[in-house]
């Protein structure tokens, strides 16, 4: 077939920057602070459970919406964390990570010509999913250097065609965290409209300096218009296991499941059994927060003595740093040179903007062993 007949549905979409930078990091055997995954293991008990369920023969398709007993565990967990009731049979679905959940939710609700509002810089899977469904992404820039959620601009961006607002709290890559005041602003904006909220909360347990996570599950008034996306991969340091879940009221979940059944069909069975067993004991989520706070502090303190400018991340396991005092190279060039010459991999943040804004900012992931962070800091302090 002639190449001319392969019509790309997203012609301007390249390979994700996460793959590009981590391939480059591997080539140069660099200390990899680029992609968002831990370089340490999950709980031994969870790994043992996964292996044991494989050995016991739990290796065939699970129920399409996920194992009911796991959904019950999630309902209990959500009740205890956010005092929110989601019914296991009709309001909770197990997904193939947050990535599948986001794509499914966007496919279920975004129609041709619908506008979807996204704060940027933005995690890179939202916009392609909107476009593939015929939707139109519109971006609201988060003002630097504090990267707040700009509600006035969001309000101005709303039109009669606005179908959905995608929220990511805590926010990748900026580390911004929504406060109760932010949610209040959001509530006022959507009141009386038919706008849906897609709330990506995969870093729900990673907020710092005494702040608490304002899950939209905490807000009953927003519940009937909100789809919440969570990731066991992120929470339990097993991003390769590809498991997450979605919370949504029955009417929205009904539509979500119509797509999920064909996109994913079912999610890894022994992993679901492992989590079901593991979560029988309430998890000490506070420990996750404390661990990442310590790691953020190691990175921020270590960077204080360098020419990088840092405003401490408020949540997630990412830290944005400004390198304008070191170089005026474009961020991709600077990040590539950092790998080649200084052996440290990062992500250039221009890839989180539609217009590839070059703010001279790169993102480091600090979900790494302390030793990895100290090695990276040793390299960075030589610059
Ligand atoms: C904001 C955000 N949402 C979703 C995902 C994807 O999560 P998962 O690995 O569960 O698909 C990521 C991964 O980095 C992320 O940063």
């Amino acid at each position: 077939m002639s190449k001319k007949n392969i019509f790309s549905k997203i012609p301007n979409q390249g390979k994700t920057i996460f793959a590009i930078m981590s391939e480059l990091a591997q080539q140069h055997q660099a200390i990899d602070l680029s992609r968002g995954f831990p370089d340490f293991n999950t709980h031994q008990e969870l790994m043992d459970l996964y292996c044991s369920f494989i050995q016991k023969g739990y290796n065939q398709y699970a129920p399409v919406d996920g194992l009911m007993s796991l959904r019950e565990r999630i309902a209990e967990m959500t009740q205890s964390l956010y005092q929110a009731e989601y019914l296991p049979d009709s309001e909770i679905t197990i997904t193939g990570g947050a990535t599948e959940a986001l794509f499914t939710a966007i496919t279920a609700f975004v129609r041709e010509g619908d506008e979807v509002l996204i704060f940027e810089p933005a995690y890179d899977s939202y916009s392609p999913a909107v476009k593939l469904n015929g939707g139109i992404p519109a971006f609201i820039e988060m003002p630097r250097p504090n990267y707040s959620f700009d509600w006035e601009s969001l309000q101005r961006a709303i039109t009669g065609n606005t179908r959905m607002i995608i929220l990511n709290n805590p926010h990748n890559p900026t580390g911004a965290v929504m406060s109760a005041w932010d949610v209040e602003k959001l509530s006022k904006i959507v009141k009386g409209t038919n706008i849906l909220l897609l709330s990506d909360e995969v870093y729900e347990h990673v907020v710092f300096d005494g702040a608490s996570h304002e899950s939209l599950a905490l807000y009953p008034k927003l519940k009937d218009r909100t789809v919440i996306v969570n990731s066991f991969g992120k929470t339990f340091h097993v991003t390769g296991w590809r498991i997450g879940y979605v919370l949504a009221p029955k009417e929205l979940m009904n539509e979500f499941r119509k797509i999920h059944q064909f996109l994913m069909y079912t999610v890894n069975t022994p992993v679901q059994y492992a989590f079901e067993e593991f979560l029988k004991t309430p998890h000490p989520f506070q420990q996750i927060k404390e661990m990442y706070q310590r790691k953020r502090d190691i990175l921020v303190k270590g960077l204080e003595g360098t020419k990088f400018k840092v405003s401490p991340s408020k949540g997630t396991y990412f830290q944005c740093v400004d390198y304008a005092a070191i170089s005026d190279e474009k961020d991709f060039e600077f990040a590539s040179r950092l790998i080649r010459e200084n052996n440290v991999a990062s992500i250039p943040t221009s890839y989180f903007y539609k217009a590839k804004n070059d703010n001279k900012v790169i993102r480091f992931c600090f979900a790494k062993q302390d030793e990895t962070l100290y090695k990276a800091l040793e390299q960075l302090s030589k610059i």
Side-chain angles (χ1 to χ4, degrees):
M1 192 174 83
S2 150
K3 279 189 190 157
K4 274 194 286 185
N5 290 330
I6 306 174
F7 300 105
S8 173
K9 292 182 78 176
I10 37 175
N12 299 322
Q13 182 67 49
K15 204 178 203 179
T16 114
I17 189 64
F18 306 111
I20 296 172
M21 297 317 282
S22 71
E23 275 166 29
L24 204 60
Q26 272 174 18
Q27 257 172 41
H28 292 269
Q29 297 190 340
I31 303 161
D32 195 353
L33 307 190
S34 65
R35 279 210 287 177
F37 63 83
D39 69 346
F40 46 86
N41 255 335
T42 187
H43 306 268
Q44 188 61 47
E45 184 197 343
L46 187 56
M47 293 192 286
D48 290 344
L49 284 167
Y50 187 2
C51 295
S52 78
F53 281 109
I54 291 175
Q55 295 291 351
K56 281 189 226 161
Y58 290 80
N59 297 311
Q60 308 310 328
Y61 292 134
V64 177
D65 304 326
L67 213 64
M68 182 52 107
S69 48
L70 176 58
R71 286 186 268 149
E72 283 164 1
R73 293 282 95 74
I74 292 169
E76 288 158 16
M77 199 171 76
T78 309
Q79 179 70 50
S80 112
L81 285 167
Y82 306 119
Q83 303 79 54
E85 190 186 5
Y86 284 91
L87 301 174
D89 65 337
S90 55
E91 300 187 318
I92 300 173
T93 300
I94 311 297
T95 62
T99 307
E100 186 255 323
L102 291 162
F103 199 93
T104 299
I106 291 167
T107 305
F109 300 111
V110 175
R111 303 155 302 180
E112 193 77 32
D114 281 345
E115 288 170 10
V116 178
L117 303 184
I118 304 172
F119 284 103
E120 75 169 3
Y123 182 60
D124 71 345
S125 81
Y126 309 145
S127 170
V130 170
K131 285 194 268 185
L132 278 166
N133 283 289
I136 304 158
F139 297 93
I140 291 96
E141 196 168 327
M142 300 172 80
R144 289 190 313 124
N146 292 329
Y147 293 110
S148 53
F149 296 92
D150 181 349
W151 301 111
E152 277 68 38
S153 296
L154 182 95
Q155 172 82 75
R156 280 196 298 274
I158 290 177
T159 72
N161 293 326
T162 304
R163 172 70 164 160
M164 179 185 272
I165 300 171
I166 301 183
L167 299 146
N168 173 211
N169 174 41
H171 186 265
N172 174 14
T174 66
V177 165
M178 275 168 67
S179 63
W181 179 86
D182 285 305
V183 183
E184 191 54 42
K185 286 274 179 192
L186 171 68
S187 304
K188 281 195 179 135
I189 290 171
V190 295
K191 195 173 168 197
T193 72
N194 289 322
I195 298 171
L196 297 175
L197 302 176
L198 176 57
S199 188
D200 178 347
E201 302 187 11
V202 301
Y203 301 104
E204 63 182 324
H205 299 295
V206 195
V207 288
F208 307 130
D209 306 321
S212 55
H213 171 57
E214 294 296 325
S215 171
L216 294 194
L218 285 162
Y219 294 86
K221 280 192 202 146
L222 292 176
K223 193 175 172 185
D224 67 338
R225 61 171 83 235
T226 302
V227 176
I228 298 179
V229 173
N230 295 87
S231 169
F232 279 151
K234 294 288 181 186
T235 298
F236 296 102
H237 329 307
V238 287
T239 56
W241 289 9
R242 311 305 306 129
I243 180 166
Y245 62 93
V246 162
L247 307 172
K250 193 174 169 187
E251 296 70 28
L252 295 182
M253 188 57 90
N254 210 14
E255 295 306 313
F256 180 92
R257 287 179 175 177
K258 288 182 190 171
I259 308 295
H260 168 77
Q261 65 186 336
F262 296 122
L263 197 56
M264 192 69 204
Y265 189 31
T266 74
V267 175
N268 187 318
T269 305
V271 165
Q272 291 193 62
Y273 276 101
F275 273 111
E276 194 267 318
E277 189 62 35
F278 188 70
L279 292 173
K280 276 184 180 156
T281 313
H283 194 73
F285 291 111
Q286 182 63 23
Q287 285 178 6
I288 302 176
K289 203 177 278 188
E290 286 163 10
M291 174 188 71
Y292 283 124
Q293 166 103 43
R294 204 192 66 246
K295 292 185 185 296
R296 184 210 65 174
D297 291 347
I298 290 174
L299 184 64
V300 168
K301 199 159 183 297
L303 288 170
E304 268 168 14
T306 70
K307 286 186 184 162
F308 289 103
K309 221 162 85 195
V310 183
S311 174
S313 171
K314 298 187 181 79
T316 75
Y317 44 56
F318 302 112
Q319 177 64 58
C320 283
V321 301
D322 180 319
Y323 64 85
I326 300 171
S327 163
D328 60 6
E329 282 162 292
K330 287 206 166 123
D331 63 1
F332 180 77
E333 271 80 55
F334 181 76
S336 306
R337 192 162 64 81
L338 204 62
I339 293 177
R340 287 194 312 273
E341 296 179 9
N342 302 89
N343 212 35
V344 179
S346 61
I347 298 286
T349 60
S350 59
Y351 285 77
F352 293 82
Y353 290 90
K354 182 182 178 222
K356 296 276 179 294
N357 302 14
D358 177 30
N359 297 320
K360 315 280 177 234
V361 173
I362 54 174
R363 187 200 79 176
F364 290 126
C365 170
F366 54 82
K368 306 293 164 187
Q369 296 175 55
D370 294 0
E371 191 194 356
T372 314
L373 295 174
Y374 285 123
K375 273 191 199 149
L377 284 166
E378 197 184 320
Q379 292 299 106
L380 296 172
S381 65
K382 291 179 192 158
I383 298 169

